[in-house]
Amino acid sequence: MVNDKLHRYFHRGAIASLILLIIWCVLWEMVLAPLHPGGSWVVLKAVPLLIPLYGVFRRDIYTLQWSSMMILLYFTEGVVRGYSDKGSVSAWLGWGEAAIVCVYFVCAVMYLRPYKKAAKRMAKELLDKVNRAK
């Protein structure tokens, strides 16, 4: 029961952090620290985050797997802008983006962990069965 509850928290954490990251990117590039006054086309960086949203809501294992890798691009951007935009609001927003990505990544990986273990166990059982048949 505890594992089910924890599993549910990881799923909710993945959803919440993904939604927060989308909002964070839009606000960053349109309101808080846009590259150009009034916003810029850089706000479109939030669009790819909308693609996995439905699958994450549905607990789709494949979507959680590939999105946990894709989200690392946003981590990279956050770290680069955190270091390069020294002393500005944009730098703090970059570090915030990197932190949100870390939350999503950990929640997604921890949510997927039991499925990964089950897949390994099933593969081992299948290999054992094949080896016994020889």
Side-chain angles (χ1 to χ4, degrees):
M1 182 70 178
V2 173
N3 285 340
D4 288 339
K5 196 172 189 179
L6 193 58
H7 201 231
R8 202 172 325 124
Y9 284 136
F10 286 131
H11 178 245
R12 289 179 183 163
I15 292 170
S17 58
L18 184 58
I19 291 171
L20 179 61
L21 185 60
I22 292 167
I23 294 168
W24 189 273
C25 289
V26 170
L27 287 177
W28 181 1
E29 300 301 343
M30 292 302 290
V31 179
L32 300 173
L35 291 177
H36 304 289
S40 68
W41 286 100
V42 181
V43 75
L44 292 177
K45 73 181 180 183
V47 172
L49 294 171
L50 296 171
I51 297 168
L53 191 58
Y54 180 70
V56 172
F57 269 113
R58 289 186 47 233
R59 295 181 171 103
D60 183 52
I61 294 169
Y62 182 70
T63 302
L64 280 154
Q65 287 175 331
W66 68 259
S67 66
S68 67
M69 295 295 107
M70 183 264 302
I71 202 95
L72 296 177
L73 295 171
Y74 292 85
F75 176 80
T76 304
E77 186 219 8
V79 170
V80 167
R81 291 189 67 182
Y83 273 118
S84 63
D85 299 349
K86 294 198 187 266
S88 68
V89 174
S90 186
W92 288 104
L93 291 168
W95 290 118
E97 179 181 37
I100 295 167
V101 168
C102 286
V103 170
Y104 178 82
F105 184 79
V106 167
C107 286
V109 168
M110 294 305 288
Y111 179 82
L112 292 168
R113 191 172 182 198
Y115 296 107
K116 182 78 170 172
K117 284 183 178 181
K120 281 184 179 180
R121 187 173 52 252
M122 287 174 44
K124 185 180 182 322
E125 289 172 5
L126 182 61
L127 282 173
D128 289 345
K129 192 175 185 180
V130 167
N131 288 334
R132 280 185 295 222
K134 286 184 181 181

